[in-house]
Amino acid sequence: MSADPALTDVRPADAPAGGTGPADAPTASPGTAPGAPLLSVRDLRVMFTRPGGGRVFAVNGLSYELRAGRMLAIIGESGSGKSVSSRAIMGLLPPSATVTGSIRLDGTEIVGMPERRLRQLRGTQVAMIFQDPTRSLNPTMRIGLQITEAIHLHNKIDKKAARARAIELLKLVRLPAAERRFHDYPHQLSGGMRQRVMIAIALACNPKLLIADEATTALDVTTQAQIMELLVDLREQLGMAVIMISHDLGLAASYAQDVVVMYAGKAVEQAPAEKLFARVRMPYTRALLGAIPRLDATPHSLLPVIGGQPPNLSVMPTSCPFRPRCPVASDQCAEIPPLLEHEPEHRWACWHPDGPGAADQAAPVAAAGAGGAAGPAVASAQPPAAAGAKTLTTPGRAGSATGQGER
Amino acid sequence: MAVVDVDSAIAQGDPEKGPPAPGAAAAPGPARRRVWARRLQLGVPIGLIVLIVLACFLGPVIFDVPRPTNGDILESGLPMFSDGHLLGTDQNGNDILSRLLYGGRASLFIAVMVNLIGVVVGGGLGALSGQLGGAFDTVLMRILDVFIAFPSLVLTLAVAQSLGASVRNTIFALSFFSIPAVARISRSAVLRLRELPFMAAAELSGTPRWRVLLRHIAPNIGPQLLSFAMLNMGVVIIIEGALSFLGLGIPPPDPSWGNMIFDGQQSLTATPWLVVWPSIALMVTVISFNLLGENLRSLWSSR
Amino acid sequence: MTLASTPPRAAALTWLSGAWAGVSSSPILRIIIKRLLMAIPIMLGVSILTFWVLASIPGNAAQLQLGINATPEQIATLEKQLGLDQPAIQRYLDWLGGLLTGDLGRSSVSSQPVTSLIADRLPVSAELVGLAFVLSLAVSIPVALVSARRPGGIIDRIAMVIAATGQSIANYVLALLLVLIFAVKAGVLPAIGFTPISEDLGENLKGMVLPTLALAFPLMCFYTRFLRSDLVDQLQREDYVDTARAKGAGPWRVLLRHAFRNSSFGLITLVGLNVSVLIGVTVITEQIFAMPGLGQLLLQGINTRDFVVVQDLVILFAAITVVVNLIVDLLYVILDPRIRYGSR
Ligand SMILES: Nc1ncnc2c1ncn2[C@@H]1O[C@H](COP(=O)(O)OP(=O)(O)O)[C@@H](O)[C@H]1O
Ligand code: SF4
Ligand SMILES: [Mg+2]
């Protein structure tokens, strides 16, 4: 697999789809320029109102950008707002959610868009696949029909053509015996095959952006690798951008080009993958690295967790939200650290990116990390992953051999 | 007869399970209103039930209400607001209000007794069956199957017929069909409970079964049975009315809402209110119990 | 048992197990057979229970027919004629044997065969129940769909208040109120009576309106509430709904094509469970509207101690319950591919 998707870009749009190397810094300005990102999320906030009147601040000022044809990993603990923020891109939040900020997809603002227009967008511009392929397919409908439904919703074509297209899609996602499987019901397929069908549905109308929300979490390790490979290949083949959501930094390290780490509804660290893993700055990201499940652990065993309570989302934070669990917190952390581009392309929101006293506050830090002492809260046998070069190899997964080749 | 039958109550799950009104973003105002709505959910039906019970049982004691039977035939068919007869009198000269209140006593007493018997006997049998398992469970379940395939009203009618019409026999006849229902509910609740770790712990630590039953199971299935009993109050009141309506419940001249409706039906054209008053009493009571039962259920299931 | 007989036995066994394998590979056949096997002890239990309860009713048809002035000799003669002098066990076995050979016996009162009594009255009850079912489903399904489209919306609230109230109304109360309003006050519909379809379809339907409404309205309310909450549940909790919406499907398509089909299982179960209650409700409704249906036959039977008729009717009702539940199971198989393809 090559890092540069210098590829068969089927779609005419998305000029910068290929070729741009990591040196190509993400443009800070949103919007209209020719090199503009495909997706630009600015200060996104999502608040839920509970039936009893309580509120949940699920996303609190999330910003990131994604250029066409790239794969972005959004990483964070469960409850950090990954799903909610990406559902906002689809306009798929329940009525109890209040969304503010800006989401621009290919220059079009999505926040506040009327449902009718959102519907035209879903499937054709953005598509999404979900965590549990057992539940995300309609159990009473043949899979072929579920795919052709997606085709018919946006294209005026006859049944036969739709069927042909559906089978083509099933072949594209490498479902064995596609013609025969066309008439199967979801329960007749294995988990991995179901997820392939989900991907086929998502691809039915050539979306520019595919969101995979923990798409491999419910699968076993081998299948997980196969599905990830498939996503990587499809991204190259079709030139679409992919957002992969995971709580697993290892997966991001293996497959993604850009990484956003979320905590309490915010991005806390953000960089191209190789930069991030070369030198992890946020104590939270370090803790996540420590929490990577290992190959030798039984599949589906409980993930190692970061010690301490996840943040309370019913109140707006007034200090660094990670403070109660942070091993290197200081008095300064009573103030919310801003997310700044401290190094080229590498942003983080932390007052002590290298542990206490290593360097002072917001000034970009160039010093070599003496982070060995960092992350004592990490509840794992793995060495705290501060030494970047080493970490790059730590997230051992089935697919990582190829994944590493990208860098 | 009400369509709220027991099986459906099981199958139905919780009708109010959907989160209440996912209305868009809300200011504190509506939020507070919603908190109040929640309190009212229990408050309104409880208030109504207390009111009805007080009226029926204390009303005739505190206020000077005419006798419900042996009325003066000369005073028959008086309209509403007649002197001394707020709701008028029936064909026999009996005070309608008084008959409503005394009839309510009978209905409520029967319903409470039937449910008490249902919960104690049926709940006990079901819990025992679920806890013991084995042959006892198999036999009991087959017997319950028979009762469930049996059209309940027919069974009740036959029992009422064979025992003769009286309050005691009505209670007995109605218990016949409330016991199997409660037994099934409590059995399945116990089976579900047994899956939980704390039950396994109790059994592993050698606690005797009857103790497990009393100490752990009873308090846990209590709320479920209570909300079912409330829903069932309405059903029993309606069926009791049906029995009386068919002449197999409370024997005239003693009043019950069912036999008042039946009596009134015969002169529906001339004096419709004879049907309307007991019907309203019946409806309000049943609605109150249904509301209470349902709201209790959604309360404990959302816990 | 000789050795020689063993091979054919073994062969028979193999054949049997082969046949069973053939049967069990078809879920539909398997379900039918399983259900029917389960029905045997249930029906037997129902027959015993019925007989026992009826036998404990004081008085019998002979005493009731001859009145209180009859001499013991007269009663004894009639009892002998009617076969009531036999011991209870004997009578039970005779009756059961008759049932198994398709002979339902004769009425102790009119001495007509019960089969023809039932045949006369079955159409009336069947028409009533059928109409009530169709009406309740025809109203509750659209109302539930519209309510689930916007939970908490104005239509939903109104529908749910009406449904919650309607579900609590006693059927006989509703029947009388309907008579009061439409027959007594407005005078547009007949209060009682029944015209056979064969005589005049228009009159027949006119006479059916009020009883059908009285029967259907509480059912309707019940189904509406159930279906609505199940639909809302599907919409809010099920991932496949998200998938459908993520494709760009509109709210109605999501409701009709996706959620409704999955909710229909629950509704069908409910309808099946309702049958035995519905039978009781029909008895009362027929009584109020003076309709010559099975319910009336049953009440007459109980009042005149015509126990053979009552027993036969109870068995019929129980059989209907069993059959309806069998149909529910089969519908499940047809609607739910997970069962049809035998993976569940
Ligand atoms: N419909 C909802 N109503 C209220 N709170 C919600 C809703 N959906 C999600 N949340 C809350 O938002 C937070 C973020 O959830 P989510 O984005 O699903 O996390 P994750 O990062 O695991 O995907 C969680 O605390 C969750 O409880
Ligand atoms: S800002 Fe302070 S509390 Fe927050 S992550 Fe950095 S060191 Fe820890
Ligand atoms: Mg999630």
Side-chain angles (χ1 to χ4, degrees):
Chain A
M1 229 172 299
S2 102
D4 300 281
L7 14 112
T8 50
D9 191 348
V10 201
R11 265 187 330 272
D14 314 339
T20 43
D24 195 41
T27 39
S29 63
T32 47
L38 171 71
L39 175 74
S40 157
V41 176
R42 284 267 159 270
D43 196 32
L44 180 69
R45 287 166 198 275
V46 181
M47 181 194 77
F48 291 100
T49 311
R50 283 260 172 78
R55 297 163 176 218
V56 180
F57 298 96
V59 181
N60 297 302
L62 174 68
S63 303
Y64 65 84
E65 278 170 3
L66 172 61
R67 278 173 298 143
R70 283 177 73 96
M71 185 182 280
L72 169 78
I74 299 183
I75 306 295
E77 275 180 300
S78 167
S80 53
K82 307 181 297 289
S83 298
V84 170
S85 58
S86 24
R87 275 163 177 269
I89 303 172
M90 302 282 293
L92 268 186
L93 290 170
S96 59
T98 315
V99 184
T100 55
S102 155
I103 300 171
R104 286 187 160 270
L105 180 69
D106 218 11
T108 317
E109 179 60 51
I110 288 178
V111 175
M113 187 183 265
E115 172 71 18
R116 200 165 272 283
R117 283 197 56 208
L118 275 172
R119 238 185 279 157
Q120 294 165 354
L121 220 76
R122 293 183 198 136
T124 56
Q125 307 286 312
V126 218
M128 191 159 180
I129 55 183
F130 302 97
Q131 173 166 353
D132 186 352
T134 315
R135 292 167 47 101
S136 47
L137 288 168
N138 186 339
T140 59
M141 235 167 139
R142 294 177 196 276
I143 58 162
L145 195 61
Q146 300 193 47
I147 302 173
T148 51
E149 183 187 32
I151 300 169
H152 280 301
L153 277 168
H154 300 286
N155 298 289
K156 285 209 173 1
I157 59 173
D158 63 16
K159 264 191 170 168
K160 238 174 128 185
R163 192 198 136 99
R165 167 81 178 133
I167 287 177
E168 184 188 316
L169 283 164
L170 285 176
K171 285 180 176 157
L172 187 69
V173 297
R174 299 176 207 151
L175 188 78
E179 278 95 353
R180 191 163 53 77
R181 292 290 183 189
F182 187 84
H183 296 289
D184 276 2
Y185 284 96
H187 74 271
Q188 294 170 290
L189 308 180
S190 69
M193 280 149 89
R194 284 178 207 158
Q195 203 57 296
R196 285 174 200 272
V197 172
M198 278 300 291
I199 297 173
I201 293 175
L203 298 181
C205 298
N206 299 314
K208 293 172 186 153
L209 171 61
L210 174 67
I211 304 172
D213 188 353
E214 310 247 7
T216 59
T217 306
L219 305 173
D220 64 78
V221 182
T222 320
T223 320
Q224 182 174 48
Q226 288 169 356
I227 296 288
M228 283 314 301
E229 301 289 341
L230 175 66
L231 284 178
V232 167
D233 291 355
L234 288 171
R235 174 185 65 82
E236 289 180 9
Q237 215 174 325
L238 308 174
M240 69 185 173
V242 175
I243 295 180
M244 56 161 282
I245 295 172
S246 177
H247 53 254
D248 180 353
L249 259 184
L251 218 55
S254 308
Y255 299 102
Q257 287 136 13
D258 301 302
V259 179
V260 172
V261 180
M262 280 187 77
Y263 188 76
K266 259 188 181 167
V268 290
E269 185 159 10
Q270 189 177 347
E274 72 271 30
K275 286 213 168 143
L276 182 83
F277 291 107
R279 187 127 184 247
V280 168
R281 293 302 196 140
M282 256 296 281
Y284 172 64
T285 316
R286 279 200 288 265
L288 274 182
L289 262 181
I292 288 175
R294 308 176 37 146
L295 258 190
D296 49 14
T298 32
H300 300 289
S301 62
L302 281 180
L303 298 171
V305 281
I306 304 172
Q309 291 285 312
N312 176 7
L313 297 176
S314 59
V315 287
M316 282 286 222
T318 53
S319 58
C320 172
F322 192 54
R323 193 180 180 205
R325 307 162 75 183
C326 182
V328 294
S330 73
D331 289 347
Q332 194 181 10
C333 306
E335 211 178 308
I336 300 178
L339 180 76
L340 295 177
E341 190 166 355
H342 297 277
E343 285 169 7
E345 291 186 284
H346 193 164
R347 297 148 192 266
W348 62 79
C350 178
W351 299 121
H352 306 299
D354 289 297
D360 249 1
Q361 50 172 335
V365 186
V378 172
S380 162
Q382 227 168 355
K390 207 170 149 223
T391 5
L392 199 57
T393 49
T394 4
R397 336 217 93 250
S400 67
T402 30
Q404 296 302 328
E406 295 188 14
R407 278 148 216 131
Chain B
M1 197 187 313
V3 201
V4 200
D5 77 325
V6 287
D7 304 319
S8 329
I10 303 170
Q12 189 184 10
D14 176 17
E16 295 304 324
K17 205 160 18 178
R32 205 175 304 135
R33 215 183 304 145
R34 242 170 293 171
V35 173
W36 267 105
R38 284 203 161 172
R39 286 183 197 153
L40 288 180
Q41 274 191 345
L42 288 184
V44 167
I46 289 179
L48 276 171
I49 290 168
V50 168
L51 210 70
I52 293 167
V53 170
L54 285 182
C56 291
F57 287 88
L58 286 184
V61 179
I62 296 172
F63 302 101
D64 190 22
V65 180
R67 276 172 308 168
T69 52
N70 294 323
D72 187 347
I73 202 73
L74 294 176
E75 289 198 328
S76 69
L78 290 181
M80 266 194 277
F81 303 117
S82 303
D83 194 24
H85 301 290
L86 191 59
L87 296 181
T89 59
D90 65 10
Q91 305 96 314
N92 301 321
N94 292 320
D95 183 71
I96 293 176
L97 180 62
S98 163
R99 284 181 73 77
L100 273 185
L101 297 181
Y102 281 96
R105 279 187 180 189
S107 295
L108 289 170
F109 177 70
I110 289 173
V112 167
M113 288 311 291
V114 168
N115 276 298
L116 214 59
I117 293 174
V119 168
V120 172
V121 179
L125 275 179
L128 209 60
S129 182
Q131 178 67 2
L132 293 179
F136 182 82
D137 186 40
T138 315
V139 170
L140 190 76
M141 286 323 288
R142 291 293 83 76
I143 294 176
L144 293 189
D145 277 349
V146 170
F147 276 90
I148 278 144
F150 210 102
S152 47
L153 184 89
V154 179
L155 180 68
T156 326
L157 277 179
V159 173
Q161 181 78 293
S162 82
L163 297 177
S166 77
V167 170
R168 200 195 58 197
N169 292 346
T170 307
I171 292 174
F172 187 80
L174 291 174
S175 299
F176 249 90
F177 107 106
S178 94
I179 290 174
V182 183
R184 274 190 13 162
I185 293 177
S186 94
R187 176 177 178 272
S188 66
V190 167
L191 288 184
R192 229 175 307 130
L193 264 180
R194 286 185 59 173
E195 304 281 305
L196 299 182
F198 82 91
M199 285 294 305
E203 276 185 22
L204 282 179
S205 65
T207 318
R209 283 203 163 156
W210 60 268
R211 265 195 89 135
V212 174
L213 213 58
L214 274 184
R215 290 281 293 278
H216 296 280
I217 296 185
N220 270 294
I221 59 176
Q224 200 172 346
L225 290 188
L226 181 71
S227 63
F228 174 78
M230 288 302 127
L231 286 172
N232 204 36
M233 283 292 286
V235 177
V236 172
I237 290 174
I238 285 177
I239 298 185
E240 179 272 314
L243 279 184
S244 298
F245 182 80
L246 296 173
L248 290 169
I250 294 168
D254 285 342
S256 91
W257 291 338
N259 67 25
M260 287 174 77
I261 294 173
F262 179 71
D263 289 344
Q265 180 208 3
Q266 297 171 337
S267 57
L268 190 60
T269 323
T271 53
W273 63 85
L274 291 183
V275 167
V276 170
W277 285 119
S279 297
I280 290 177
L282 190 85
M283 250 169 72
V284 172
T285 311
V286 173
I287 289 175
S288 307
F289 278 112
N290 279 355
L291 265 182
L292 182 59
E294 262 169 27
N295 294 342
L296 274 179
R297 184 164 59 182
S298 64
L299 212 70
W300 70 251
S301 70
S302 69
R303 230 181 14 192
Chain C
M1 195 114 326
T2 61
L3 268 177
S5 74
T6 314
R9 250 176 61 114
L13 277 180
T14 332
W15 182 84
L16 262 182
S17 67
W20 176 245
V23 164
S24 59
S25 68
S26 154
I28 296 195
L29 268 181
R30 199 170 50 198
I31 284 172
I32 292 180
I33 289 176
K34 203 174 129 200
R35 271 281 172 187
L36 290 181
L37 285 178
M38 270 166 55
I40 293 173
I42 293 181
M43 298 298 289
L44 212 61
V46 169
S47 74
I48 294 173
L49 186 64
T50 316
F51 192 88
W52 176 60
V53 170
L54 291 177
S56 63
I57 296 183
N60 64 26
Q63 288 160 7
L64 228 67
Q65 275 172 44
L66 296 171
I68 40 170
N69 296 326
T71 63
E73 290 78 37
Q74 284 174 305
I75 292 181
T77 319
L78 187 57
E79 276 180 351
K80 193 156 188 166
Q81 253 178 38
L82 297 174
L84 296 176
D85 55 335
Q86 308 271 335
I89 302 267
Q90 185 62 43
R91 275 183 287 147
Y92 173 72
L93 290 178
D94 285 349
W95 171 60
L96 195 67
L99 279 188
L100 293 178
T101 56
D103 173 15
L104 299 190
R106 287 174 177 275
S107 157
S108 313
V109 176
S110 67
S111 54
Q112 276 182 295
V114 181
T115 326
S116 76
L117 285 178
I118 289 181
D120 283 348
R121 286 148 182 272
L122 187 63
V124 180
S125 300
E127 188 187 359
L128 178 60
V129 173
L131 284 176
F133 256 129
V134 170
L135 179 68
S136 55
L137 289 177
V139 174
S140 59
I141 291 174
V143 172
L145 285 167
V146 172
S147 297
R149 166 74 184 85
R150 289 185 202 287
I154 183 77
I155 296 179
D156 183 41
R157 277 160 195 252
I158 293 174
M160 286 311 111
V161 168
I162 293 177
T165 316
Q167 204 188 318
S168 309
I169 293 186
N171 177 258
Y172 47 93
V173 168
L174 181 64
L176 291 178
L177 293 182
L178 286 173
V179 169
L180 188 61
I181 294 168
F182 291 102
V184 176
K185 294 286 178 212
V188 287
L189 291 165
I192 57 166
F194 174 81
T195 319
I197 304 184
S198 49
E199 265 173 41
D200 185 341
L201 180 65
E203 282 303 307
N204 168 276
L205 289 180
K206 235 170 131 181
M208 275 291 176
V209 172
L210 292 185
T212 304
L213 265 182
L215 208 56
F217 187 69
L219 278 185
M220 198 185 282
C221 295
F222 195 36
Y223 296 159
T224 308
R225 295 189 70 194
F226 174 82
L227 184 59
R228 178 262 181 204
S229 78
D230 200 73
L231 283 170
V232 170
D233 241 35
Q234 299 277 340
L235 292 181
Q236 287 175 349
R237 310 202 168 167
E238 292 299 331
D239 290 354
Y240 70 81
V241 168
D242 282 330
T243 305
R245 294 176 64 204
K247 287 177 195 173
W252 283 112
R253 172 176 279 269
V254 171
L255 256 175
L256 292 169
R257 292 284 297 264
H258 294 274
F260 179 58
R261 178 136 189 198
N262 285 280
S263 284
S264 63
F265 303 126
L267 186 64
I268 289 168
T269 314
L270 201 62
V271 170
L273 285 173
N274 258 179
V275 171
S276 86
V277 176
L278 193 64
I279 288 171
V281 177
T282 311
V283 171
I284 298 180
T285 309
E286 286 180 359
Q287 176 76 4
I288 293 175
F289 291 96
M291 300 174 75
L294 294 178
Q296 212 184 44
L297 188 64
L298 178 91
L299 287 178
Q300 274 172 13
I302 291 182
N303 287 331
T304 58
R305 307 288 191 265
D306 196 351
F307 293 146
V308 176
V309 172
V310 179
Q311 288 161 15
D312 286 342
L313 282 174
V314 172
I315 289 294
L316 176 68
F317 292 157
I320 291 175
T321 311
V322 168
V323 168
V324 168
N325 281 302
L326 176 66
I327 293 174
V328 165
D329 279 5
L330 293 181
L331 274 179
Y332 252 87
V333 177
I334 292 168
L335 284 173
D336 192 340
R338 281 162 296 191
I339 306 178
R340 195 180 338 151
Y341 290 83
S343 88
R344 205 162 72 175

